[in-house]
Amino acid sequence: MATTRRDPLTLEVVQLIGSVVARYYEEYDQAAAEHSLTGAQARVLGLLSLEPLPMRRIAQKLKCEPSNVTGIIDRLEGRGLVERRPDPDDRRVKVAAVTETGLTTAGLLRDSLDFAREPLADLSEEERRTLRDLLKRMLGDGSGIDGA
Amino acid sequence: MATTRRDPLTLEVVQLIGSVVARYYEEYDQAAAEHSLTGAQARVLGLLSLEPLPMRRIAQKLKCEPSNVTGIIDRLEGRGLVERRPDPDDRRVKVAAVTETGLTTAGLLRDSLDFAREPLADLSEEERRTLRDLLKRMLGDGSGIDGA
DNA sequence: TATTGTTATACTCTATAACTATA
DNA sequence: TATAGTTATAGAGTATAACAATA
């Protein structure tokens, strides 16, 4: 394995992935900033635009402590992008959901990101298919990243 | 363009790249934490392990304000991993350089990261070559995204 | 006057621990 | 007793503005 890890080709791919990661983050934060959102706020808004979630679930998705979610939701709520709703089945639970404004903002954000990722358009369909398959293999059997 | 951006295959690739980015960051921060370093500290230590740099240059590499570098270097210096040296040619400049201990830590960190990226070993040499070429095309000539 | 690094300030994200209100 | 969310606290990264030393 060490042999495989250290060969020049592998190192080059690793470096390229590093570049992709750097650019992804840079553009993500820039897109968020254009809507006066931090990266974390944009991520949560994106999550909630798919479905409302209890505070606890948001923390799990973000892989952070639940106490942090309070502040992030506070700030999104303060700007009218998100609201807290009671859970009828368990009065301890608060469900965060995007407002109409929040949904619009999330859509704009997604568009900005799609635009930023446009470089993929330079690849032919077959190349994109190849890239997809290689990335899938690289990520393994999907034992879970975003973990649904 | 919009057609290319919106087709299911492209969206799938975009999502996969998102997963790669998420895993990369997760493992990077974890490797850093194993050496009691934050992500930013690990990044700076890695940079300085290649060559000493003036404070200003570090800020440029990190794409952050120079004032932030002061604190990061303070903390690395406080742990004996980095030291500030005067620049003989310009007495305003302070050059940050890794100590011997810092160099060792940077090496261990690099090894952890290589290990974390081992999934690449599942790909054949030809596949890695293909992946390299596709990533290169995706990243373009570095002139930017907007088709600049 | 311009530049380098720093300090001071404020905000956000982060983890930990203690608290509340439910269950 | 256990769980969901919050609060309190502290540390770190970030940007902005003002400052000292040097150019």
Side-chain angles (χ1 to χ4, degrees), chain B residues 22-47:
Chain B
R23 181 179 292 188
Y24 185 103
Y25 254 74
E26 201 178 320
E27 293 179 357
Y28 192 98
D29 284 349
Q30 184 187 324
E34 279 163 19
H35 298 276
S36 303
L37 294 168
T38 65
Q41 287 164 12
R43 232 162 288 135
V44 170
L45 190 62
L47 279 175

Side-chain angles (χ1 to χ4, degrees), chain A residues 10-134:
Chain A
T10 298
L11 290 179
E12 192 181 357
V13 175
V14 165
Q15 194 171 353
L16 284 168
I17 292 174
S19 298
V20 170
V21 169
R23 183 179 294 188
Y24 185 102
Y25 256 75
E26 201 177 320
E27 293 178 357
Y28 193 98
D29 285 348
Q30 185 186 324
E34 279 163 18
H35 298 278
S36 303
L37 294 169
T38 65
Q41 287 164 12
R43 232 161 290 136
V44 171
L45 190 63
L47 279 176
L48 297 182
S49 72
L50 302 177
E51 54 172 347
L53 291 171
M55 306 299 277
R56 214 86 187 173
R57 293 284 298 125
I58 298 174
Q60 288 167 352
K61 297 261 190 188
L62 258 57
K63 296 186 205 296
C64 75
E65 294 301 314
S67 60
N68 301 324
V69 178
T70 299
I72 297 174
I73 294 294
D74 278 351
R75 291 180 271 279
L76 288 172
E77 194 169 32
R79 290 177 47 191
L81 301 173
V82 157
E83 62 183 12
R84 282 171 167 95
R85 296 176 186 162
D87 181 337
D89 298 341
D90 185 338
R91 290 195 305 176
R92 292 173 304 180
V93 174
K94 287 177 191 166
V95 178
V98 287
T99 61
E100 209 171 320
T101 313
L103 192 59
T104 305
T105 302
L108 293 173
L109 198 56
R110 222 184 311 273
D111 287 345
S112 310
L113 289 173
D114 282 348
F115 181 75
R117 291 166 191 160
E118 200 160 287
L120 279 178
D122 289 344
L123 304 184
S124 73
E125 181 172 341
E126 191 186 337
E127 287 169 332
R128 289 200 298 275
R129 201 152 32 221
T130 304
L131 181 57
R132 175 197 61 188
D133 294 340
L134 288 173

